[in-house]
């Protein structure tokens, strides 16, 4: 599927409604076994997860997210050292990937919970028709009208609450690299442009169109597609989603691309790029659960360049890229991999 990209290979997520105050929470996408014999589906409240300082990272930390539940389970079983390692993930704001079912209820839960904490919800929309050429994540909306209805549901769920949206990882790249058949191109541009317009009609929503990674080298390959997809109306674009390119290389790529799309700002996924990309093994599989990686810069709006609005954890560290290198299905929590990411991080 993602070859040179390595973007979000996320399985269709099931939603479990969890009450956080009056708000609904959060996607329950993992298997019941955390991979080390612990049940990470338990209540994460016991982990004592709190929000990051707003001036550093204004994004919402889910106190009952998958990593938080893993921390609570590890502490309960007496594995204190492992719990503290996973806490490196649990205490940071990570993106919520909105699943196909009932987007309005999901998104309302995320944004209400974030609002009560005085923070901004970070959302990823990954449901465009024909989204996944390799079928690792499968699915996507059944057709254009279904996608438009889904976007309407997302927008209704956000309402006038603050949200930052990363829009459709891979959607443009797969138009450029030939992965998506030609007959779907015009529809996809129309759907993305419509999604940008709908989301930007909301009072407090920022939108970043996904734009690949530093492995693409030449921004000439994608800037025209960004223009056709509505980048002029968006707040900017995202780079390195679910990939491993260094922050330095991602900034360089983003700045070249920004210069071709009217000086638009961008955000960088730093969730797993602490040691850069993996260069061993089969080239078309390097993106999938590569060994020896580490967490990158923690989410923040205090970045190394004025064009970079934020470092974000868009890919949720600890979730599998797919059934490769011993991993579970895409999007499922993989406790052993999460622990290795955390331990490799200073």
């Amino acid at each position: 599927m993602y070859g040179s990209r390595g973007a979000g290979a996320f399985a269709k997520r099931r939603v479990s409604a969890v009450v956080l105050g009056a708000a609904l929470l959060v996607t329950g996408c993992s298997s019941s076994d955390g991979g080390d014999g612990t049940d990470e589906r338990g209540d994460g409240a016991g982990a004592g997860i709190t929000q990051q300082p707003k001036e550093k990272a204004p994004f919402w930390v889910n106190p009952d997210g998958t990593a938080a539940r893993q921390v609570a389970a590890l502490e309960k079983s007496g594995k204190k050292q492992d719990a503290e390692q996973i806490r490196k993930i649990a205490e940071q704001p990570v993106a919520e990937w909105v699943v196909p079912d009932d987007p309005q209820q999901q998104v309302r839960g995320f944004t209400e919970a974030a609002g009560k904490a005085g923070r901004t919800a970070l959302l990823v929309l990954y449901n465009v028709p024909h989204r996944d050429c390799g079928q690792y994540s499968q699915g996507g909306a059944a057709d254009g009208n279904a996608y438009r209805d889904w976007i309407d549901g997302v927008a209704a769920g956000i309402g006038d609450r603050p949200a930052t949206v990363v829009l459709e990882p891979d959607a443009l790249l797969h138009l450029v690299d030939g992965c998506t058949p030609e007959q779907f191109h015009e529809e996809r541009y129309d759907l993305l442009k419509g999604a940008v317009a709908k989301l930007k009609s909301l009072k407090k929503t920022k939108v970043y169109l996904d734009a690949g990674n530093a492995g693409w080298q030449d921004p000439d390959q994608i800037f025209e597609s960004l223009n056709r997809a509505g980048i002029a109306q968006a707040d900017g674009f995202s780079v390195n989603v679910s990939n491993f390119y260094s922050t330095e290389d991602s900034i360089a790529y983003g700045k070249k691309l920004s210069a071709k799309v009217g000086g638009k700002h961008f955000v960088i996924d730093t969730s797993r790029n602490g040691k850069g990309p993996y260069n061993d093994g089969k080239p078309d599989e390097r993106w999938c659960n590569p060994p020896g990686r580490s967490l990158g810069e923690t989410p923040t709006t205090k970045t190394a360049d004025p064009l970079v609005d934020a470092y974000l954890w868009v890919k949720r560290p600890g979730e599998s890229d797919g059934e490769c290198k011993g991993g579970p299905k895409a999007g499922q929590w993989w406790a052993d991999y999460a622990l290795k990411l955390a331990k490799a991080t200073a």
Side-chain angles (χ1 to χ4, degrees):
M1 153 176 131
Y2 292 106
S4 64
R5 164 133 180 98
F10 281 80
K12 180 186 268 190
R13 300 173 186 273
R14 292 180 181 143
V15 178
S16 60
V18 180
V19 177
L20 181 63
L24 290 169
L25 276 176
V26 64
T27 52
C29 61
S30 304
S31 62
S32 61
D33 187 344
D36 61 356
T38 62
D39 180 3
E40 45 65 76
R41 291 174 68 94
D43 186 1
I49 303 301
T50 59
Q51 301 301 314
Q52 290 290 328
K54 193 170 184 178
E55 63 274 13
K56 175 191 174 185
F59 307 103
W60 177 58
V61 178
N62 184 351
D64 194 43
T66 309
R69 298 196 300 272
Q70 182 74 79
V71 170
L74 288 167
E75 289 181 342
K76 186 176 180 179
S77 64
K79 299 178 180 179
K80 303 294 186 183
Q81 291 183 339
D82 286 352
E84 287 308 302
Q85 291 294 334
I86 298 299
R87 188 178 291 278
K88 294 177 183 178
I89 299 172
E91 68 184 3
Q92 297 300 330
V94 298
E96 302 291 351
W97 292 63
V98 181
V99 303
D101 299 329
D102 201 353
Q104 183 172 344
Q105 184 181 39
Q106 289 175 69
V107 171
R108 181 181 292 118
F110 297 141
T111 55
E112 284 184 352
K116 289 185 177 182
R119 300 297 190 276
T120 297
L122 176 60
L123 307 172
V124 182
L125 305 189
Y126 181 55
N127 194 39
V128 75
H130 319 290
R131 71 182 182 191
D132 183 1
C133 305
Q135 293 300 298
Y136 282 79
S137 302
Q138 302 188 17
D143 55 33
N145 287 334
Y147 185 75
R148 293 182 185 97
D149 289 343
W150 187 76
I151 290 293
D152 286 347
V154 170
I158 294 174
D160 60 0
R161 292 176 289 275
T164 293
V165 176
V166 174
L167 185 60
E168 294 298 342
D170 286 339
L172 290 178
L173 245 60
H174 283 337
L175 297 182
V176 176
D177 68 11
C179 192
T180 300
E182 180 72 28
Q183 65 262 35
F184 302 127
H185 286 203
E186 288 302 320
E187 178 189 59
R188 181 164 297 180
Y189 285 125
D190 180 68
L191 292 176
L192 292 174
K193 192 170 185 177
V196 171
K198 182 70 177 184
L199 294 167
K200 285 306 298 175
S201 71
L202 305 174
K203 294 180 179 179
K204 299 179 182 178
T205 298
K206 292 185 177 182
V207 181
Y208 296 89
L209 271 165
D210 188 62
N213 59 62
W216 272 63
Q217 303 298 331
D218 186 359
D220 285 344
Q221 294 176 297
I222 197 170
F223 83 91
E224 290 182 355
S225 291
L226 277 170
N227 285 331
R228 292 180 66 184
I231 188 66
Q233 192 172 358
D235 293 274
F237 55 91
S238 59
V239 301
N240 204 48
V241 170
S242 295
N243 217 306
F244 302 85
Y245 289 95
S246 72
T247 302
E248 181 181 8
D249 288 346
S250 296
I251 291 174
Y253 170 77
K255 289 177 73 172
K256 290 178 182 178
L257 185 52
S258 173
K260 293 181 175 293
V261 290
K264 285 289 184 178
H265 288 209
F266 57 101
V267 295
I268 301 172
D269 185 355
T270 60
S271 57
R272 304 180 298 175
N273 74 343
K275 292 190 176 179
Y278 180 66
N279 295 314
D280 296 326
K282 296 180 180 179
D284 62 349
E285 294 181 357
R286 289 172 180 169
W287 62 269
C288 190
N289 299 324
R293 303 308 93 192
S294 69
L295 305 172
E297 288 100 334
T298 55
T300 184
T301 53
K302 297 183 181 300
T303 69
D305 192 279
L307 281 175
V308 184
D309 285 346
Y311 302 145
L312 304 175
W313 283 9
V314 183
K315 162 71 179 185
R316 293 149 64 104
E319 292 186 355
S320 177
D321 292 317
E323 294 179 86
C324 55
K325 303 181 181 69
K329 290 182 179 180
Q332 290 192 358
W333 177 256
W334 187 5
D336 183 59
Y337 196 81
L339 194 59
K340 288 176 180 176
L341 283 173
K343 285 182 174 180
T345 305

